[in-house]
Amino acid sequence: MGGSELLQFVISGLKNGSIYALVSLGFTIVYASTGVINFAQGEFYMLGGMFSVWAFATFGLPLWLAAIVGILLTAATGILFELLAIRPRKDGDQLSLIIITIGGSLLLSSLARHLFGPDELAIPAFTSGPSVRVFGAAIERQTLWIWGLTITAVVILNWVYNKTKLGRALRACAINRDAARLVGVDTRLIVTVSFALAAALGGLAGLSVAPLTQTAFDAGARVGVKGFAAAILGGLGNPIAAVAGGLMLGLIESMSIAYLSSTYKDAISLLVLLLVLFVRPQGLFSRSRREKV
Amino acid sequence: MSERGASLRVKGLESGYGRVNVLRGIDIEVHSGELVTVIGSNGAGKSTLLKTIVGFVTATAGSVSVDDRDLTRTTPERAVGIGVSLVPEGRMLFGPMSVRENLVLGAYSKSGRGEASLAQDLERVYSLFPVLEERAGQSAETLSGGEQQMLAVARALMSKPRVLLLDEPSLGLAPKVIAEIFHTLDALRAEGLSILLVEQDAKLALKHADRGYVMRTGEIVLSGTADDLLADDDVRLIYLGKWHGKDDVR
Ligand SMILES: Nc1ncnc2c1ncn2[C@@H]1O[C@H](COP(=O)(O)OP(=O)(O)OP(=O)(O)O)[C@@H](O)[C@H]1O
Ligand SMILES: [Mg+2]
């Protein structure tokens, strides 16, 4: 395989990897504040695309505004999901909460089918024009958008986590919920906020990839699995690990297409998931699942 | 810290876990500026009492009030806002975070007050526990046991409490460190802070307290001034570990 061909696979891996990273961040953020794997995370990805298409095609909003509306509506869905499905079960054990998220996932995708129909939908690329050529490889303009938006989201999130009161509360809650309550953190609010953040990030992923892949009511499950695998790969520990896990999974997938066959692409993430769970359940980049004194 | 201590009144308090009742009608008062201790052996319900006051455990009967404000069935996050701060059993620090960040989080309920006030409060706890300033950038989990306990007390003080609740601050610490922590409690009391101290080490607690209560299987079985309790035969028996041999305590 030539250098430019390989580079093409790396580019494609980093493109998908960015999407996985955003979805994986969603898993990590909710896990940190609740200890629960939210299996509806993939649906937020789906909704981000669908809401944007809807705002763009049905309401004729300009693309940038439709994208913002898409993120906001997805975040609102995340908040509603938490308030209606998670919060009422305040003494719920984690297993029952996880089952609730699986049920919620099915519910959200059937609702989406009902609202937006069964067909594949798409929005145009954010900027039109030919691909950018780098060392003989082509980078689609939308891919540049995906990278730019992912980096922006990660930088903002990192700033929120490390420099703001909200971020400090989010981290405190992840380390020890009772201790967070002791110093005055409203942990229920933090859980709601983390669902909103996770949904917004999933929505951002879904809408920024929609021009390339199209989207449909059932697009969430597949990406949900990828994001979950990426989160496990990273170790569910912290946002940086989640992003690293996403990028790595994208690259692994891409390389498996390059050197094996595209038939195995989707199986690879499951294989990675199982391998990590067997060999290094705490993930590649984390010291432990939940850090406590 | 420079706030006048509030009075804490616990009346007929009952609570437990699931169907198991632990507290069976507890009456306790801490007047403004007093250091009051609750002593008792393992499993008496001392921690449950503190957890019920701040709302980790829900009261099933009775009441808790601070000054004249009802606090029954509050939540920990609301209690700290009202001025009741708990230094819990096991310290519950934010281990991976730095000492400074733990302290900043301690002021979470007061973070409307701005940076200047925060800096002032940090100065204040650093002057009480100078070692914390030396370790400011170090993560809490790397501190020694004594330093962790000092951090737990300092973190609670960052919320500017009017009533400070402490759950066995001496547990597992060397005498020298215990002396330092209790010296600080004396100083805080002298400034007018109200303190409710739960201890297993009755002698130590009574040496520093104004008054004390003796708790046994979820009930207060004895109360009085610290000096009276120190002189009490039954209390003396606790030190000797003969408590369980005696049925009739009063
Ligand atoms: N989370 C819990 N769930 C069920 N029972 C509990 C729980 N915590 C404490 N208990 C029970 O409540 C009773 C009182 O416990 P508590 O921790 O309040 O005692 P304590 O006086 O603080 O003891 P120690 O001196 O050992 O700390 C004990 O019988 C204990 O087994
Ligand atoms: Mg205890």
Side-chain angles (χ1 to χ4, degrees), chain A residues 161-162 165-166 168-169 171-173 175-188 190 287 291-293, chain B residues 54-56 75-77 80 85-86 88 92-97 101 104-109 111-112 141 148 155:
Chain A
Y161 258 71
N162 290 309
K165 184 182 172 191
L166 172 66
R168 217 174 277 124
R171 281 184 295 135
C173 202
I175 294 167
N176 187 331
R177 277 187 87 165
D178 282 345
R181 299 185 70 190
L182 265 187
V183 297
V185 176
D186 181 347
T187 50
R188 296 207 306 178
I190 291 298
R287 280 185 303 164
E291 293 168 327
K292 291 212 165 115
V293 171
Chain B
V54 299
F56 270 125
T75 60
E77 52 271 30
V80 69
S85 203
L86 169 65
M92 287 199 194
L93 296 174
F94 301 108
M97 290 191 190
E101 256 189 313
V104 172
L105 267 164
Y108 186 88
S109 61
S111 39
E141 62 202 354
Q148 287 191 12
R155 185 182 68 180

